[in-house]
Every structure is written in structure tokens, then in C-alpha cells.
Amino acid sequence: EYDSGKCLGFYKMGVYFNDQDQLDSARHYYHLSLDIANEISNMKYKSQAFRALAIIEFSTGNLLKADSINNLDLDNTIKYKDSLGIALAYDFKGTINQNKGHYLIALENVLKGLDLFEQLGDSIRIADGLNHLATLEYNLGNFKQAIHYNQKALGIYEAYDDSFYQAQALNDI
């Protein structure tokens, strides 16, 4: 009868199946988690289920559906004044729009997310936002600016000994 635990358990089952590339099963468990999160009005669990579902849709090329789900997450995080959640939703909205070829909309959203990450002092996510800006600048043909943002991101990744994203930033540079 511990609904919060069930909600988290279903979410973790979704993560497991997502890691196994069994996306239908992952969706199923994320939806179960979302249903319980709605029943118990748990904003945090609701947001993580929305985010997970949006990421699945994004990774399978369903950009419109990913954007729609991400908008639900953004509305949820704004309603409950979750600054980190708002930042993540804006940043992801930028990534989605970049992949749709809507670079200026993407830039606007990534900048909103980055501003909030900076206000929160979340260094790793600042680096991620800088990396996203670099990709956008590259797509807009602003190569020097893209390198600049990647170098700033690289410095943060090095400070946190994040070798995976150091390699990505170096590759992008």
C-alpha cells in the first residue's frame, strides 16, 4: 500500500528495460509510474516519468511526441516551481528543436535552460548546456563560437573528471 514506493519501483523498472533497449516495456513501466504519480500528486515522480517518456520518443525519432511530452513536463515543473526541472525541460526542448531543424527556437530554449543552470550553480549541467549551445552554433555556421562553448564545457568536464563528456567535447572541437 506504499504508493510512493510503487511509483518509484515502476520508474526503476522502466529504467531497467530502457537500459536493455526494450522500449515498449520501458514505456509501460514509465506510464505505470506516471499514473501513480498523478494519483498521489507527486510532482517529482511525475516529472521524472514525463522526462523518461520524452527521451524514449526522442531516441526513436518521434520528435513531435517527445516535444509534446516535454511540454507537459515543463508545465508541471513551472506549476510546482521546480527550477532544476524547468531548466532540464527548456534544455531538452532546445535539443528537440535542434533536431527538428528549428535552430533559433532551439537556441532560445537552451539559453533559458543554461541561465537557470547557472542560477542554480549546477556545473555539470552548465557544461551540458554549453555543449548544446556549441552544437547549435555549429549548425548555424558559427564555428568559432561553437569551439568557444565547447572549450568552456571541456574545462568543466575536466574539473569533474568526466572523461566521457571530455571526449565528446574534444571530438566536437
Side-chain angles (χ1 to χ4, degrees):
E1 299 304 313
Y2 181 47
D3 288 334
S4 184
K6 285 187 213 174
C7 184
L8 182 58
F10 285 138
Y11 173 77
K12 296 288 187 178
M13 289 295 293
V15 170
Y16 169 78
F17 283 109
N18 190 36
D19 288 347
Q20 301 302 311
D21 278 335
Q22 296 179 24
L23 299 184
D24 288 340
S25 294
R27 272 191 199 95
H28 171 73
Y29 283 104
Y30 289 146
H31 278 291
L32 289 174
S33 179
L34 181 59
D35 290 344
I36 295 173
N38 281 323
E39 288 173 18
I40 64 175
S41 299
N42 186 311
M43 175 279 305
K44 178 182 175 188
Y45 289 166
K46 187 174 173 179
S47 189
Q48 72 183 13
F50 277 143
R51 201 168 295 124
L53 287 165
I55 289 169
I56 286 176
E57 296 307 328
F58 177 83
S59 69
T60 57
N62 299 323
L63 299 180
L64 292 176
K65 193 167 185 179
D67 199 26
S68 177
I69 295 169
N70 189 63
N71 285 337
L72 293 172
D73 184 35
L74 181 58
D75 291 344
N76 181 61
T77 57
I78 289 170
K79 179 179 179 183
Y80 290 99
K81 299 177 179 157
D82 173 14
S83 297
L84 177 59
I86 294 167
L88 290 168
Y90 276 131
D91 186 66
F92 193 47
K93 189 167 189 62
T95 300
I96 293 167
N97 276 284
Q98 173 188 316
N99 280 270
K100 289 163 80 175
H102 302 154
Y103 299 128
L104 295 179
I105 295 169
L107 186 60
E108 176 183 312
N109 283 284
V110 169
L111 286 171
K112 285 179 184 178
L114 181 58
D115 182 55
L116 287 170
F117 292 143
E118 288 172 340
Q119 288 177 40
L120 294 167
D122 191 332
S123 297
I124 288 294
R125 290 198 171 97
I126 290 169
D128 294 343
L130 290 167
N131 181 266
H132 297 153
L133 277 177
T135 302
L136 283 165
E137 292 293 355
Y138 175 84
N139 286 324
L140 291 168
N142 301 325
F143 304 121
K144 286 184 182 180
Q145 195 62 31
I147 291 170
H148 170 74
Y149 285 134
N150 266 314
Q151 287 173 331
K152 286 179 72 172
L154 176 61
I156 296 169
Y157 292 137
E158 288 172 340
Y160 283 85
D161 201 28
D162 188 331
S163 58
F164 179 84
Y165 285 102
Q166 285 179 50
Q168 180 178 330
L170 287 166
N171 187 54
D172 290 347
I173 291 168

